[in-house]
Amino acid sequence: MKVALALGLVALVALALGAPLLLQVRVGEAQGAGQGQAQALLNLTQRAIAVGKSLGINVTQAEELYSKALSYYNNGNYTGAQDLCLEALKYIASEAKGVRPTYMPPAYGIEAQLLAIERFVNSSPAINSTDRSYVISRVDEALKDISSGNVSGAAEILADLKGYLANLSVRVSMYAKHAMIGRLVRELHKARGELEANWSYMQEANVSPAQVADEVVKELEEELNSSAANATPAQLVGLARAVEEIESRAPMAEPFPNATGRVTLYGAQVKALVGINRSLSRVESLMAYLTGSEANLSEEALNLTFKAINATLTALHYYAAGEDNLSLEYINQSITFANESAGIAENLTSSGHGMAAAVGRGIYRADELIIGLDEKLYAYVESQNIVGKVYEFRGELLFAVNQTTYVAVLRIVNGTQETHHVIFALVVIGEGAHVNANLTQLPLRVDVVGQVAGAVHYLYVVKAFNVTELAPEAVSP
């Protein structure tokens, strides 16, 4: 009868690397599970401290809590270690909410690129002295324009320099190339940290912002590294600029449609499950008076009810993390368990023994409430699930990863999520797709504002069927 909800909690921690749910159900003697939870939280806390430092947060208090938690863990006090890790994570999340990116005037980005080009040509032995002198003289001219307030003039020179570098038939030295690739990775890590900070509200649903940010940038990071390996000097500069653009847009990014609404629903349903759990505690006290087949049936029914609770919790977690298809799977599991339990409980209610009938009614009512929560969650998931569906998007292709894959910021323009961004999707143009736009005007960057129609393969990848560039007058400001 003692169903170990700890098993469900371990699954949630492994999935989210987030804080365990506050719902308390009998956990038995799950020593190994407690150690696994503590280890996951220690790893997450260590990472959160590093992110906090990168954001300029004073993490001394969190470091002290982590150190003490590590000591508890080494001494076998896994519960104490978890509590201290949660305290440290809450502190960092609270402090991170106040951190916002500093506004930088447009000239700053132009100047940074000019200086990057200057450093590049000075460090690359593959560029001859004539080309090097020309580039440096043009950089100096552009920097003077910036100092005199002529930002547009500097931008024109920067564009000319990128074109000039693109036409140079040079082999970039391995040293210079690795230095630029390293910069790309560092910039991407900064963008990941920015996303984590802006998604700190997800902690409320025990979803790790770090995990979701990793999902967003993992494939993009792999594509960038792959592209950079064979890039020309101009393409490397373009790639670095593209990553900077991602970082500048990070604060506006939604990790999946209706993220905050999912967190709200998650909290409401968990509170309802807490109430169901309390009612089951009262039912359990009555079960002590049952014997024989009635005791066995009540124990079987209650075990199934607890399995249904665990499945609902897991479904809620997946919903809060944007994994809609997995959420649907666990909803169906929960309903199956609850229905099986209700069938057994109904037999108990027909018993001539008053205590057995009371136990049956209590379990049956809990099963009804769980199924009600599952049906409500199912309706939300089904209405918002975008994986595998065909949508039309409006947005901007930021840059080309290769000839058929582009990084973009897209917004759904049909359906119910039209006000929400799909985070920096990788748009893969399918074979035979219709493309009515100039996607090859620059080697690694395109500025096409238009419509993309395609199927969502998963939350950050869209396989496009057609891409249409919009006329300037048709583009909303």
Side-chain angles (χ1 to χ4, degrees):
M1 179 174 64
K2 293 189 174 182
V3 178
L5 182 63
L7 295 176
L9 298 183
V10 170
L12 293 179
V13 170
L15 291 166
L17 291 181
L21 293 167
L22 297 179
L23 184 62
Q24 297 296 319
V25 180
R26 296 160 298 153
V27 297
E29 301 297 324
Q31 184 73 3
Q35 183 178 3
Q37 287 183 349
Q39 180 64 60
L41 283 172
L42 282 166
N43 292 339
L44 177 58
T45 303
Q46 188 178 38
R47 179 171 182 177
I49 288 172
V51 172
K53 286 182 178 178
S54 71
L55 296 174
I57 296 172
N58 184 349
V59 295
T60 302
Q61 182 176 335
E63 287 177 323
E64 292 174 354
L65 290 166
Y66 172 79
S67 178
K68 191 172 181 181
L70 188 61
S71 176
Y72 277 13
Y73 177 88
N74 291 333
N75 290 324
N77 184 355
Y78 303 127
T79 300
Q82 291 179 52
D83 290 342
L84 290 173
C85 284
L86 288 173
E87 189 175 343
L89 287 168
K90 288 177 182 177
Y91 170 79
I92 294 172
S94 176
E95 293 296 310
K97 287 181 180 178
V99 177
R100 289 292 180 269
T102 304
Y103 172 76
M104 296 181 183
Y108 180 89
I110 296 173
E111 182 179 7
Q113 292 179 73
L114 289 167
L115 294 175
I117 291 173
E118 185 178 46
R119 287 194 299 270
F120 176 73
V121 298
N122 278 326
S123 65
S124 176
I127 297 178
N128 62 45
S129 58
T130 302
D131 290 327
R132 183 179 296 110
S133 297
Y134 174 78
V135 170
I136 291 175
S137 66
R138 293 287 282 163
V139 169
D140 289 339
E141 182 182 351
L143 292 175
K144 289 177 182 177
D145 281 344
I146 290 175
S147 63
S148 64
N150 184 12
V151 177
S152 60
E156 290 179 5
I157 294 175
L158 176 60
D160 289 342
L161 282 174
K162 287 183 178 181
Y164 184 82
L165 289 173
N167 292 324
L168 285 178
S169 298
V170 298
R171 294 181 59 86
V172 182
S173 69
M174 291 304 296
Y175 175 83
K177 184 171 290 189
H178 283 302
M180 184 61 81
I181 292 173
R183 182 190 174 201
L184 289 175
V185 173
R186 287 194 299 273
E187 289 292 337
L188 201 59
H189 285 173
K190 285 170 60 181
R192 179 190 281 120
E194 189 67 51
L195 291 174
E196 290 181 31
N198 282 279
W199 296 346
S200 59
Y201 66 87
M202 295 171 68
Q203 298 274 15
E204 299 171 17
N206 296 326
V207 178
S208 166
Q211 184 195 25
V212 179
D214 275 344
E215 284 184 30
V216 172
V217 300
K218 180 181 178 182
E219 187 167 351
L220 179 55
E221 183 174 356
E222 291 173 355
E223 294 282 8
L224 285 174
N225 280 310
S226 174
S227 299
N230 299 307
T232 66
Q235 289 171 336
L236 284 170
V237 173
L239 279 171
R241 179 69 187 97
V243 178
E244 289 171 358
E245 181 135 8
I246 290 175
E247 184 178 13
S248 71
R249 291 171 180 255
M252 63 177 274
E254 284 284 355
F256 39 77
N258 195 23
T260 53
R262 291 170 184 245
V263 170
T264 301
L265 178 67
Y266 179 101
Q269 294 240 34
V270 168
K271 287 180 181 178
L273 287 171
V274 169
I276 294 172
N277 182 64
R278 287 174 181 163
S279 69
L280 290 175
S281 297
R282 291 190 290 271
V283 169
E284 185 180 8
S285 65
L286 298 178
M287 289 170 58
Y289 298 97
L290 302 182
T291 59
S293 62
E294 290 179 343
N296 293 333
L297 286 173
S298 64
E299 185 170 342
E300 182 181 357
L302 189 61
N303 283 344
L304 287 167
T305 301
F306 281 134
K307 285 184 178 180
I309 289 175
N310 281 333
T312 300
L313 285 170
T314 306
L316 280 167
H317 170 79
Y318 275 127
Y319 175 72
E323 298 287 352
D324 293 340
N325 287 347
L326 286 172
S327 181
L328 289 173
E329 289 182 18
Y330 279 92
I331 290 170
N332 288 331
Q333 283 188 26
S334 176
I335 291 175
T336 299
F337 289 137
N339 277 326
E340 290 179 10
S341 174
I344 298 171
E346 193 170 17
N347 289 333
L348 285 170
T349 60
S350 62
S351 170
H353 184 194
M355 195 66 71
V359 169
R361 286 193 296 271
I363 295 176
Y364 188 88
R365 177 56 179 160
D367 292 329
E368 279 189 324
L369 293 173
I370 293 169
I371 292 173
L373 292 176
D374 289 335
E375 289 176 343
K376 181 178 180 180
L377 180 59
Y378 184 92
Y380 276 104
V381 173
E382 190 60 28
S383 68
Q384 296 180 19
N385 184 20
I386 65 173
V387 177
K389 294 183 180 179
V390 178
Y391 283 96
E392 189 173 359
F393 306 89
R394 186 175 193 162
E396 178 184 2
L397 301 182
L398 294 179
F399 67 98
V401 174
N402 53 48
Q403 292 182 342
T404 60
T405 305
Y406 299 83
V407 176
V409 173
L410 299 174
R411 185 174 67 254
I412 298 173
V413 296
N414 66 333
T416 59
Q417 301 98 344
E418 61 183 29
T419 61
H420 298 286
H421 285 99
V422 177
I423 181 72
F424 299 106
L426 281 170
V427 176
V428 180
I429 299 178
E431 185 176 350
H434 176 70
V435 179
N436 180 25
N438 181 10
L439 303 183
T440 58
Q441 55 186 349
L442 291 175
L444 278 174
R445 178 173 174 79
V446 288
D447 291 296
V448 177
V449 177
Q451 304 289 106
V452 176
V456 182
H457 277 215
Y458 54 94
L459 287 175
Y460 312 113
V461 177
V462 174
K463 185 174 182 180
F465 302 145
N466 61 67
V467 180
T468 304
E469 186 173 7
L470 294 182
E473 60 271 16
V475 179
S476 299

